[in-house]
Amino acid sequence: MIDLVVGAVKAIAADEAFLRRRGLTSRDFELALPAAIQRIRGSAAASNADRRNFLVALLQHMATEEVISSFDKPDYGDDTVYRLYIDGIGSVAIIQKGCPDGAHSSVNWSAPSWANETYLWWLCDSLQYEPGEHVAKGVNRLRNRFFSPEYADAVDGVIFHNPTCGTTLRPCPKVARVVEVDGKKVPPPCVWIMPERHDLHVERPAEWNWTGNRTRRFPAVLLSAFGIDANEVPLYTGHVGFSKGQRGTRTTIASRYGAGRSTIFRSDPR
């Protein structure tokens, strides 16, 4: 599809009659095209309304299914943090962010003091990278933050999910578990449990959630809204782990999307 769009743009650049009707020459079009693309990208990035509407609709679906009691929406102008009220857990914070490869979406946040569990929710519609590469870039920034003495807090997990998931632009391997949300077919989100932040300055080699032994309660609640029962939750819940040794720090990212279906990424030491 992207190749077809590239071909269409090239065809426009070669169609002098079409361009003349719009007051342009071929040279004008070629010179202005990069700036025009940047303006379109800027306008799309500046609007947060679509992302908010998608996430609110999904949270409302969770409330309708009674997997959460209720939720509070953030006030306009504040950090985009939703407060979910869940029986047996208490308050869970969802911090809405854009694409994870930017510092704003991966580093510039704080876990609310009222939250029993806190999650970054990356609503990223960029097709520049495959979803796994987007997540790896974000986790790399989170790893730097995890080990930095400048920060005292951490998130319990990260979620990658937005309206393009499950469409032809971003096919999803969990499409068999879709539910209808606000008139649209939505697959289960991708969720990873993050390591717990403790004993960061040990001299010996150490690992944090490297084998995925940490458990959190919210992933089961989230996935239950998609008909995934408690026994299946581990089959759809990934994890992020960090390790530190003489050669530096490493990351492992395990993604799961059903029985016998998983991928694992491990970074080189840094």
Side-chain angles (χ1 to χ4, degrees):
M1 188 177 293
I2 293 173
D3 289 341
L4 290 173
V5 172
V6 170
V9 172
K10 290 181 177 179
I12 292 171
D15 191 340
E16 295 186 5
F18 174 84
L19 294 173
R20 279 199 303 271
R21 290 196 298 271
R22 285 156 177 78
L24 293 167
T25 66
S26 294
R27 180 62 174 164
D28 293 337
F29 183 83
E30 291 175 2
L31 289 174
L33 182 60
I37 291 174
Q38 288 299 323
R39 179 176 295 182
I40 292 170
R41 290 181 62 190
S43 298
S47 175
N48 201 29
D50 289 345
R51 289 193 292 268
R52 284 191 183 222
N53 292 341
F54 173 79
L55 188 49
V56 167
L58 186 47
L59 296 179
Q60 186 58 58
H61 169 74
M62 295 177 69
T64 301
E65 294 294 311
E66 298 183 345
V67 300
I68 65 174
S69 300
S70 61
F71 65 97
D72 294 338
K73 293 185 288 187
D75 294 329
Y76 181 78
D78 291 350
D79 288 339
T80 312
V81 181
Y82 300 82
R83 183 171 185 170
L84 281 57
Y85 300 91
I86 306 174
D87 292 341
I89 299 179
S91 293
V92 170
I94 299 294
I95 304 174
Q96 177 190 316
K97 291 293 186 179
C99 289
D101 44 307
H104 175 72
S105 292
S106 296
V107 178
N108 300 333
W109 51 266
S110 59
S113 59
W114 46 257
N116 295 308
E117 294 184 16
T118 299
Y119 295 81
L120 283 183
W121 191 307
W122 288 319
L123 288 116
C124 177
D125 57 6
S126 170
L127 302 177
Q128 183 175 3
Y129 307 112
E130 293 290 336
E133 189 169 355
H134 274 297
V135 172
K137 289 177 180 295
V139 167
N140 181 57
R141 288 182 177 273
L142 284 174
R143 180 182 65 181
N144 295 336
R145 190 188 194 281
F146 184 88
F147 288 109
S148 172
E150 297 179 23
Y151 303 97
D153 57 352
V155 290
D156 293 279
V158 293
I159 300 166
F160 187 91
H161 193 53
N162 88 313
T164 62
C165 294
T167 68
T168 55
L169 291 175
R170 187 179 280 161
C172 178
K174 298 169 292 183
V175 70
R177 309 305 294 263
V178 298
V179 297
E180 187 168 308
V181 178
D182 203 21
K184 299 177 182 177
K185 299 293 186 182
V186 179
C190 294
V191 55
W192 295 264
I193 296 175
M194 292 289 294
E196 185 177 7
R197 200 167 186 267
H198 63 84
D199 300 330
L200 301 182
H201 305 294
V202 293
E203 296 298 329
R204 57 179 174 77
E207 297 177 348
W208 294 262
N209 201 39
W210 190 258
T211 59
N213 57 307
R214 190 181 189 212
T215 59
R216 299 281 81 190
R217 291 175 289 178
F218 178 66
V221 173
L222 174 62
L223 294 172
S224 69
F226 293 82
I228 297 173
D229 62 36
N231 293 330
E232 295 180 291
V233 166
L235 305 178
Y236 290 89
T237 305
H239 74 269
V240 171
F242 300 135
S243 71
K244 183 164 66 173
Q246 294 180 346
R247 298 174 58 196
T249 58
R250 296 184 65 201
T251 299
T252 183
I253 304 173
S255 305
R256 298 184 179 89
Y257 44 97
R261 308 175 76 189
S262 65
T263 61
I264 295 179
F265 165 81
R266 287 183 177 171
S267 69
D268 294 327
R270 291 189 59 182

